[in-house]
Amino acid sequence: MNANHNKIQRIAITPGEPAGIGPDLVLALADEVCHHQIVVCANKQMLAERAALLGLNVTLKGYQPDTAPEPHQPGCLFVADEPLEANVIAGELNERNGRYVLNTLTRAAEGNMQGEFAAVVTGPVHKGVINRSGVSFSGHTEFFAHQANVPQVVMMLATEGLRVALVTTHIPLAYVAKAITSERLVQVINILNDDLKTKFGIAKPRIYVCGLNPHAGEDGCLGREELDIMIPTMDELREQGMDLVGPLPADTLFQDKYLNDADAVLAMYHDQGLPVLKFKGFGKSVNITLGLPFIRTSVDHGTALDLAGTGTADTGSLRTALSHAIELVDKKA
C-alpha cells in the first residue's frame, strides 16, 4: 500500500440543479463514513432549508480553504458557499439559477486544478434550464474539458462487472457517423487505455470495441466505417501494444463470454452502450470522466424534480460515485 494512502484530502461535491434531488442526496451523505474531508460547493442557506424540509439534522459548517483538511464527521458537511440568483423551491426550475449551477462547477474545477481538492463528485444538472439562462451547456463532461483546457475527454460509466466508455457523447444521432474518425478513435482509445492503467491500476487493459453499424457493418454490406476507419485504426494501435478486441456487433458483445475478459467496452455513441449498463446497474453506477487532470465522478441519473424535497430519492448512485472517487484518490495518493 502507498505510504500516503491514509493522507486526508478534500473531495468536492456539487449538488447540481438546486430544485432537483441533488441537494437531498448530498445532505444524506452527511452520515457517510469517510476518511477524507467532504466539501459541498453550493448555497449554504439553500441546503439548510432543504434539510429542514426533509427533517434532517445536519450541521453545515463554513468551509475554510486555508485550514488543514480534517476527516469527515458524520452529521456535518463543510460548505463552500455560492450565492443564488433566486430563492429555490424544491421541484420548481428557475432559469435565474442556471449561472449559479455553473459557478459551483467552476469552483470545484478550479479547486481541483489548483490542488485544493483531490476529486469532484457531481450531482445531476438540468441542461435545459442552464441553456435558458443564456449559457451554452451540453453537459458536465464537455464543461470540465473546457475548464481544464484539454482537447479531448472520455465519458465512461461503470457498475459492478462492467465499464462502458463512449467515442461520442451528447450529439444528435445524425452526426455520429461523421464523428467516428481515425483521429478521434486514436485520441479516445489512448485516453481510455492510459486512464485504465494510471487511475484504475490495470497493467494491460483489454478493451472490447463495438462496431458502429448493425452486425459491425457485415463486411461492408451495412456500412463501411468498420472497414475503412475502425479496423485500420485499431490495427495501428495494436501494433503499439494495445489489447483491443473488435469491432464486434454491439447486439451480441454484451454477454459474459466477452465481458468476463473485458476491462472496458468502447461504444461508438451514447445510446449504444449506456442502456445496457444502466439496465445492469441503474442506481448503482457511476459516471467517470477520463482524460482530465483531476478525478471526476458523477451520478448516473437526472434531477428527478418530482422527488425533490420528498425524502424518497434513492441515494445509491451518489454514494457509489463518492465511493469510486475515494478509491481513485487513494490509488493516486
Side-chain angles (χ1 to χ4, degrees), residues 1 23 27 45 56-57 111 159 185 191 236 246 250-251 253 276 284-285:
M1 182 181 294
L27 287 165
Q45 181 61 32
L56 298 176
N57 185 19
T159 192
L185 285 171
I191 290 171
E236 290 180 7
D251 65 339
L253 189 159
V276 180
K284 295 182 180 179
S285 60

Side-chain angles (χ1 to χ4, degrees), residues 98-99 102 127-138 143:
R99 291 182 182 273
L102 294 186
K127 299 181 183 69
V129 78
I130 295 174
N131 281 280
R132 290 196 296 273
S133 74
V135 182
S136 178
F137 180 82
S138 58
F143 180 84

Side-chain angles (χ1 to χ4, degrees), residues 36-47:
H36 295 301
Q37 184 176 30
I38 296 174
V39 179
V40 184
C41 300
N43 183 262
K44 189 177 178 182
Q45 181 61 32
M46 179 271 296
L47 290 175

Side-chain angles (χ1 to χ4, degrees), residues 1-7 329-333:
M1 182 181 294
N2 192 298
N4 292 324
H5 176 79
N6 292 321
K7 178 183 177 183
V329 166
D330 289 342
K331 284 182 179 179
K332 184 180 179 181

Side-chain angles (χ1 to χ4, degrees), residues 180-182 185 220 223-233:
I180 306 300
T181 64
S182 179
L185 285 171
R224 294 196 55 87
E225 284 82 4
E226 288 81 6
L227 293 176
D228 296 343
I229 299 170
M230 297 182 67
I231 291 174
T233 302

Side-chain angles (χ1 to χ4, degrees), residues 141-142 151-155 166-171 175-192 229-230 233 237 266-270:
T141 302
E142 297 83 359
Q152 179 72 52
V153 293
V154 175
M155 178 178 175
L166 305 177
V167 175
T168 63
T169 54
H170 302 120
I171 62 174
Y175 301 162
V176 169
K178 293 181 180 178
I180 306 300
T181 64
S182 179
E183 179 183 15
R184 190 183 191 98
L185 285 171
V186 168
Q187 290 176 335
V188 169
I189 294 174
N190 270 312
I191 290 171
L192 175 58
I229 299 170
M230 297 182 67
T233 302
L237 293 173
L266 182 63
M268 294 301 106
Y269 56 95
H270 188 280

